[in-house]
Amino acid sequence: MKQVTLTLLLVICVSLFPQDTASAEALSNKEHNWSFNPAQNNQPATTEPLYEELIEKYGGLYIGDTREKELYLTFDNGYENGYTGEILDVLKEKEVPAAFFITGHYLKEESDLIDRMVNEGHTIGNHSYHHPSLPAVSDERLEREIRSLEEEYEKATGRTDMMYLRPPRGTFSERTLAKTAEMGYVNVFWSLAYKDWETDKQKGADYAYEKIMKRVHPGAVMLLHSVSSDNAKALPKVIDDLKAEGYTFKSLDEWRLKQEEFFQ
């Protein structure tokens, strides 16, 4: 509990009192690949100590309050494979909020689905315009990747609420965390995922259900890919059974609000 409280305080302090990131170029640009360590018996996952330190320092998120049976459902949407509409139908029926992290390609090609996400109260997150590894590009290119998607999103929807970033490919460095935090973004990683993105290796709804239920834990930030037919088929039972176990699904905005209230 002490560790969770300290994490919350650090994240809040970064959000309310941003660090001086003007010297981001001088920070380490060593590329890291996000990873997490699943625990047994639905206990909270962990990550590398360095990753934990960097996320706390720059106000990111990979896990919520592990004292509460709260879940954050997120999807990565690089391209459409015909299942997002079905997923949105389930979320609407079950009254569950989610975050969809989109690319420039998705924004241009799937305007109807974007409209549904917005109109049905979901969060639209930034997954960059062209999906490059951010440590591999300059500060100027990084800013273009993020701002260009942000601007196109505003043109398409009239909204200016894009504030969550899922680093493309799950790669990051201290420089990219600092730069994107300076731009006003919260880097959102995850504490629950499985290999669901290979569209030619889907194994059925039961397989997806077992993978998700085995790894779920209090405070989980769940990463699923909407290209997976397994996820679309398993999602109704996943949601129903998790609710029956006492879990509630929260939005990323609720996570931010909870931290601000905790700080006050």
Side-chain angles (χ1 to χ4, degrees):
M1 183 176 294
K2 181 178 180 181
Q3 181 179 2
V4 172
T5 302
L6 178 59
T7 298
L8 289 172
L9 283 171
L10 285 168
V11 172
I12 295 161
C13 287
V14 171
S15 299
L16 296 181
F17 308 103
Q19 299 195 18
D20 180 9
T21 54
S23 59
E25 292 180 354
L27 297 174
S28 171
N29 195 44
K30 180 179 179 180
E31 182 176 284
H32 302 289
N33 290 281
W34 176 254
S35 63
F36 65 95
N37 306 309
Q40 298 296 318
N41 303 316
N42 301 108
Q43 293 301 301
T46 58
T47 189
E48 300 299 320
L50 174 62
Y51 299 175
E52 184 94 40
E53 177 185 339
L54 290 173
I55 287 175
E56 291 176 354
K57 184 175 182 180
Y58 295 105
L61 167 68
Y62 88 94
I63 194 169
D65 188 344
T66 58
R67 300 166 300 179
E68 303 290 340
K69 297 188 79 171
E70 298 175 348
L71 302 172
Y72 301 89
L73 183 57
T74 74
F75 293 88
D76 280 5
N77 291 69
Y79 68 96
E80 182 54 40
N81 196 35
Y83 301 108
T84 305
E86 184 177 343
I87 288 169
L88 287 169
D89 290 343
V90 173
L91 297 176
K92 184 176 182 179
E93 177 189 350
K94 308 294 184 183
E95 298 183 330
V96 167
F100 293 88
F101 290 90
I102 63 170
T103 61
H105 170 80
Y106 200 92
L107 181 61
K108 289 173 63 177
E109 299 295 326
E110 305 299 336
S111 58
D112 289 345
L113 288 172
I114 297 293
D115 287 344
R116 274 200 68 182
M117 293 170 189
V118 171
N119 293 335
E120 293 173 13
H122 300 296
T123 300
I124 308 296
N126 198 318
H127 203 31
S128 82
Y129 203 94
H130 295 101
H131 203 259
S133 173
L134 297 183
V137 302
S138 66
D139 278 2
E140 292 75 19
R141 167 78 186 278
L142 183 154
E143 187 159 358
R144 287 200 306 273
E145 286 287 338
I146 305 305
R147 294 300 189 206
S148 59
L149 182 67
E150 183 183 299
E151 291 165 4
E152 291 299 319
Y153 170 71
E154 182 179 355
K155 290 178 184 177
T157 66
R159 301 177 68 95
T160 58
D161 56 354
M162 190 170 269
M163 65 179 69
Y164 303 102
L165 172 68
R166 166 103 355 111
R169 310 184 189 188
T171 59
F172 64 99
S173 67
E174 183 167 11
R175 177 184 70 88
T176 66
L177 292 179
K179 178 64 177 176
T180 52
E182 180 185 66
M183 295 169 65
Y185 276 87
V186 175
N187 281 265
V188 180
F189 293 92
W190 57 90
S191 64
L192 185 159
Y194 77 102
K195 200 171 183 178
D196 62 349
W197 60 88
E198 296 180 326
T199 59
D200 60 340
K201 296 180 181 179
Q202 298 293 290
K203 299 179 181 179
D206 289 344
Y207 177 82
Y209 175 86
E210 292 299 330
K211 284 290 187 182
I212 295 169
M213 299 300 285
K214 182 179 180 180
R215 291 189 172 183
V216 75
H217 61 80
V221 178
M222 306 168 66
L223 165 59
L224 300 178
H225 287 81
S226 61
V227 296
S228 166
S229 60
D230 290 355
N231 287 338
K233 294 173 184 175
L235 193 59
K237 182 172 174 57
V238 166
I239 291 173
D240 286 345
D241 287 0
L242 287 174
K243 285 184 174 181
E245 291 184 14
Y247 282 97
T248 57
F249 290 85
K250 301 292 186 178
S251 69
L252 295 180
D253 284 342
E254 288 176 296
W255 169 79
R256 283 178 65 99
L257 180 60
K258 183 176 181 179
Q259 292 179 84
E260 291 172 2
E261 291 175 342
F262 180 86
F263 185 74
Q264 292 173 355

